[in-house]
Amino acid sequence: MMQGKKVVAVIPARYASTRFPGKPLVDLGGKPMIQRTYDQVASVHGWERIIIATDDERIFSVAKKFGAEVMMTAESHQSGTDRCAEILSYLDSPVDYLVNIQGDEPFINPDQLLELSSGFASNAPILTLVKEIHDELTLFNTNVPKVVMDDQHNALYFSRQTIPYLRGVATEDWFDHHHFFKHIGLYAYRADVLPILSQLPVSSLEKAEMLEQLRWLQHGFQIKLIETQHETVGIDSPSDLEKIKKLGFL
């Protein structure tokens, strides 16, 4: 399933969160969120290892109790990418890719991990998922990053704005003239590229849009896009817990 590659799954999990402190440990139907995320990842076969990466002893202890491999990482990391890079530095045998699955994705569809793994054969430096947009609410929501790609499915640009802009076309008719895509924040990094990514300085485009992947594009790194048909159900705030209950996930 990993296209003949040695792949490590890394699940970054922070305790500190402005909107939802302690989120990885919140109870979801009898299991902490981080365990549900781990279980979804573990349902996919072929990983070399699955490692939870945290900076908090409480998360470390809980992960140990349910049998996960877990490593402590620095509190100073600004992103899951940096946390994955630290994990890579601790590995005692070479791997081809590391996959970054955020610890607040307890309902990630395992098929999305399989879709991402289909790109390993391309040997692309960075892989991520996109999903076609079919509703105006998503299309014009600046909290949802959009992406445009070239004919080889490499990212050209990510933006919180709707891209591309269709000049001379009424917005209610945009879906009749173009296919639009949103970004799904699941990443795979080639192991020789990840340490470089973690050392790149913040770029002007990243500052403008507050999108980490623009740093990589601006520094010349290719990002291969793989289309998924599956929606993600992230949990960003306590109010989202009621949303997932209504959707029948718990």
Side-chain angles (χ1 to χ4, degrees), residues 9 16-17 27 42 49 61 63 85 111 124 126 133 151 156-157 160 164 168 178-179 206-207 213 225 238:
S17 170
D27 184 271
R49 296 163 73 174
S61 177
D111 286 344
I126 307 166
I133 299 171
D151 290 343
L156 292 171
Y157 192 71
R160 297 186 181 277
H178 193 80
H179 294 280
E206 178 187 7
K207 285 182 180 179
Q213 59 271 34
L225 305 177

Side-chain angles (χ1 to χ4, degrees), residues 49-245:
R49 296 163 73 174
I50 304 172
I51 302 171
I52 294 173
T54 188
D55 59 3
D56 189 271
E57 290 286 354
R58 288 161 289 191
I59 296 174
F60 184 94
S61 177
V62 167
K64 279 289 188 183
K65 284 180 181 177
F66 66 76
E69 181 177 5
V70 56
M71 294 183 179
M72 290 295 292
T73 53
E75 294 183 9
S76 58
H77 292 315
Q78 298 299 306
S79 69
T81 303
D82 294 337
R83 214 168 290 282
C84 287
E86 183 177 352
I87 292 296
L88 175 62
S89 72
Y90 297 149
L91 300 183
D92 50 12
S93 60
V95 298
D96 298 301
Y97 278 95
L98 279 82
V99 175
N100 177 356
I101 306 105
Q102 292 299 321
D104 58 358
E105 292 283 352
F107 306 109
I108 186 171
N109 192 316
D111 286 344
Q112 289 185 315
L113 297 169
L114 296 176
E115 289 166 340
L116 190 70
S117 73
S118 71
F120 295 152
S122 71
N123 208 37
I126 307 166
L127 297 155
T128 194
L129 297 182
V130 297
K131 187 176 186 299
E132 188 167 358
I133 299 171
H134 295 287
D135 65 281
E136 289 190 15
L137 185 63
T138 301
L139 184 63
F140 298 107
N141 184 348
T142 55
N143 291 319
V144 178
K146 272 71 70 175
V147 60
V148 288
M149 65 188 82
D150 65 19
D151 290 343
Q152 285 72 49
H153 292 260
N154 298 310
L156 292 171
Y157 192 71
F158 296 83
S159 181
R160 297 186 181 277
Q161 290 287 358
T162 306
I163 50 174
Y165 175 82
L166 301 190
R167 183 179 178 185
V169 179
T171 53
E172 61 266 25
D173 297 328
W174 277 20
F175 287 119
D176 296 329
H177 292 79
H178 193 80
H179 294 280
F180 296 89
F181 292 89
K182 67 176 180 178
H183 178 224
I184 303 292
L186 178 66
Y187 293 107
Y189 320 97
R190 209 172 66 210
D192 62 320
V193 170
L194 179 56
I196 302 171
L197 298 180
S198 69
Q199 297 300 315
L200 293 175
V202 175
S203 73
S204 59
L205 292 176
E206 178 187 7
K207 285 182 180 179
E209 299 248 22
M210 296 303 293
L211 295 173
E212 179 190 21
Q213 59 271 34
L214 289 176
R215 182 192 314 186
W216 311 332
L217 283 183
Q218 193 166 355
H219 283 94
F221 287 88
Q222 178 194 78
I223 303 176
K224 177 72 71 176
L225 305 177
I226 297 172
E227 186 175 355
T228 179
Q229 303 302 318
H230 302 285
E231 195 58 78
T232 57
V233 184
I235 300 175
D236 298 317
S237 66
S239 62
D240 289 334
L241 296 177
E242 290 302 316
K243 178 182 69 176
I244 62 172
K245 288 178 182 177

